[in-house]
């Protein structure tokens, strides 16, 4: 029977987080030595461990740049849960030159009665653990080699059951928001003075904006002079649009039916034909509908952001093109409406699609085809009005 080999804790081999156990690993960022996953993820070390995850995921996966944002979102989450699972194994840092080795020779340390012992370790079991975990996890990047990273079902099939469970649990936690960068709206570009307009910059920002198609002249749409409320009704719609596209963090095109339903719920000028007689009332109405809507969660900060957004949209990128952003927003909304008219595709039968159905929005009241047709007609009118009549 093999004799147990004992290690005495000292300053060189004691976990620097809990200060009560043998340190088996070293952080590759700050070099602190620690004993377990619990200590690695402890609050005192959280800033370092979080940074390690984020900085190493993309380089480790060696992704191409075709769709960097969409790939980064899912792969950062997958890699994070994957590394959490294998954190308990020293193989985690097999490729790191920061791997911790104690100054104490584990094979030569034997119980000899000298000195006090606060921790006893079975070295044979420890050495067996060190050797047995190396091949438990196949690296995630190897499993995803050659896989279309836009195909969620195929990626899902490559995960282990534990990774799938961890992924679902992580998505339900508040931490997931930390991995998704905030979307920057296309209307943020602005040139203050006419003399500062740069053609190169102009083409650059326009490439980020929704495309504006052929807009009819207002005179061909109606012979009636527009009422004063038309301008404020348009502002009411644009406020609802600006809030919604931020609410979906720029991913609204992937949820056209939901986005249109949200805009319609917030814009009473669109949904109910309500007329507004001034700017403040048109904007305040959208704020109030955000509060009234049962399935929209917002706060004062988001509502203030909406006010800033509508001001930028109405101002335009520069004095010569003050209505350009208005036309872009209306054209974008028009495309969403057209997308809603298309027949819905059947959900994929893959594992990921079954787990995360794209139409699970039970609270949302989707707009009917007749309503969509009515909204398209209103949007055409607003486009012509913005092109030929609108003056802010």
């Amino acid at each position: 029977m093999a004799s147990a080999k004992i290690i005495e804790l000292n300053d060189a081999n004691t976990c620097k987080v809990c200060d009560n156990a043998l340190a088996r690993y070293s952080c590759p960022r700050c070099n602190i030595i620690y004993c377990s996953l619990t200590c690695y993820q402890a609050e005192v070390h959280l800033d370092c461990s979080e940074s390690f995850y984020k900085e190493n995921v993309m380089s480790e996966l060696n992704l191409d740049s075709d769709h960097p944002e969409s790939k980064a979102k899912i792969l950062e989450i997958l890699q994070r849960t994957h590394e959490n699972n294998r954190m308990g194994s020293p193989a985690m840092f097999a490729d790191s030159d920061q791997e911790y080795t104690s100054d104490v020779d584990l094979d030569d340390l034997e119980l000899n009665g000298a000195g006090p012992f606060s921790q006893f370790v079975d070295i044979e079991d420890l050495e067996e653990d060190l050797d047995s975990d190396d091949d438990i996890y196949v690296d995630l990047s190897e499993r995803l080699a050659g896989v279309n990273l836009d195909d969620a079902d195929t990626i899902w099939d490559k995960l282990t059951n534990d990774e799938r469970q961890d992924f679902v649990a992580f998505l339900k936690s508040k931490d997931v928001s930390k991995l998704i960068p905030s979307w920057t709206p296309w209307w943020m570009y602005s040139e203050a003075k006419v003399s500062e307009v740069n053609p190169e910059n102009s083409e650059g920002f326009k490439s980020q904006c929704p495309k504006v198609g052929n807009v009819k002249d207002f005179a061909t749409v109606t012979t009636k002079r527009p009422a004063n409320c038309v301008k404020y009704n348009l502002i009411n719609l644009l406020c609802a649009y600006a809030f919604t596209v931020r609410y979906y963090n720029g991913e609204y095109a992937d949820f056209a039916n939901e986005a249109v339903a949200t805009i319609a719920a917030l814009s009473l000028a669109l949904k109910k034909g309500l007329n507004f007689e001034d700017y403040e009332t048109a904007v305040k109405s959208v704020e109030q509908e955000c509060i009234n809507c049962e399935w929209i969660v917002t706060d004062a900060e988001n509502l203030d952001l909406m006010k800033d957004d509508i001001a930028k949209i109405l101002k335009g990128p520069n004095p010569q093109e003050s209505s350009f952003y208005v036309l872009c927003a209306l054209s974008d909304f028009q495309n969403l409406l057209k997308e809603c008219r298309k027949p819905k595709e059947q959900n994929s039968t893959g594992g990921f699609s079954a787990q995360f159905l794209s139409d699970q929005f039970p609270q949302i009241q989707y707009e009917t085809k007749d309503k969509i047709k009515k909204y398209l007609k209103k949007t055409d009118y607003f486009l012509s009005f913005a092109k030929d009549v609108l003056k802010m």
Side-chain angles (χ1 to χ4, degrees), residues 269-290:
L270 178 71
K271 192 175 185 72
K272 297 185 178 181
L274 190 65
N275 292 324
F276 296 92
E277 298 300 329
D278 58 70
Y279 181 96
E280 183 178 1
T281 306
V283 175
K284 282 286 186 183
S285 174
V286 176
E287 288 187 51
Q288 189 59 48
E289 293 309 309
C290 285

Side-chain angles (χ1 to χ4, degrees), residues 55-102:
E55 290 177 6
N56 285 276
V57 167
M58 300 312 295
S59 60
E60 184 171 330
L61 292 176
N62 192 25
L63 299 177
D64 59 36
S65 58
D66 290 341
H67 303 284
E69 293 182 2
S70 61
K71 293 176 182 179
K73 291 176 186 177
I74 186 169
L75 289 175
E76 282 190 85
I77 296 172
L78 291 175
Q79 187 74 3
R80 180 169 179 174
T81 57
H82 171 72
E83 296 295 359
N84 281 345
N85 279 340
R86 67 196 293 241
M87 184 73 73
S89 169
M92 175 186 175
F93 302 127
D95 296 329
S96 172
D97 58 4
Q98 302 281 356
E99 186 172 358
Y100 170 67
T101 56
S102 172

